[in-house]
Amino acid sequence: MAKLNPPRLDEYIGQSRVKANLHTIITSMEEKRLWDDPMDHVLLCGPPGLGKTSLAELIATELRRPIIKFMGPQLKDVASLSVLQNTLPWTFVFIDEIHALPSKVEEALYEPMDEFKWKGSPINSF
């Protein structure tokens, strides 16, 4: 049975410019041996069906890191972000439909994203 999603970024069809940018980032991290540092935040945007989720999965695969996927509407309150406390170091976190996050949840993401802390306590980088 054929898989719909490609197993590697170089096999992804379409989004040439985005794919080239991601390839540059991943390659430079590999060349500089930056695997212990988190990748900078990435915003994948566009209309439905463009392949944002597939690209997120490919980034995690290329970086050899686990991925946690959320749907923005599922994150209804700040407590739903507490899962970030239990992530493995350098887990790739993808929030689909981020535009649907309630403003309180969106604001609660600032501390974990900027300082790798959850309610003042250190968490693993993601």
Side-chain angles (χ1 to χ4, degrees):
M1 181 175 192
K3 284 187 152 188
L4 292 178
N5 293 331
R8 308 243 337 132
L9 185 60
D10 59 358
E11 296 178 32
Y12 182 87
I13 297 171
Q15 298 293 329
S16 301
R17 194 171 55 164
V18 173
K19 193 167 76 168
N21 287 339
L22 291 173
H23 178 73
T24 300
I25 293 166
I26 292 167
T27 302
S28 62
M29 288 180 71
E30 194 170 48
E31 288 172 359
K32 295 178 182 177
R33 300 195 187 330
L34 296 175
W35 295 117
D36 292 332
D37 296 332
M39 181 179 180
D40 286 338
H41 305 297
V42 174
L43 178 65
L44 302 170
C45 59
L50 207 59
K52 299 176 292 291
T53 302
S54 295
L55 281 170
E57 291 169 347
L58 286 169
I59 293 168
T61 298
E62 293 286 336
L63 297 175
R64 297 179 292 281
R65 300 297 179 182
I67 185 170
I68 296 175
K69 296 182 281 187
F70 296 103
M71 293 295 289
Q74 292 174 329
L75 300 171
K76 295 180 184 193
D77 54 31
V78 173
S80 59
L81 292 175
S82 64
V83 69
L84 296 175
Q85 291 175 286
N86 302 318
T87 59
L88 297 170
W90 228 99
T91 296
F92 192 81
V93 175
F94 176 67
I95 303 174
D96 199 2
E97 298 183 23
I98 198 165
H99 64 276
L101 283 177
S103 59
K104 288 186 181 210
V105 175
E106 185 179 329
E107 290 171 13
L109 276 170
Y110 295 146
E111 184 183 34
M113 287 177 64
D114 293 340
E115 301 171 24
F116 299 111
K117 292 183 178 180
W118 175 251
K119 297 186 177 183
S121 298
I123 60 172
N124 287 317
S125 57
F126 64 93

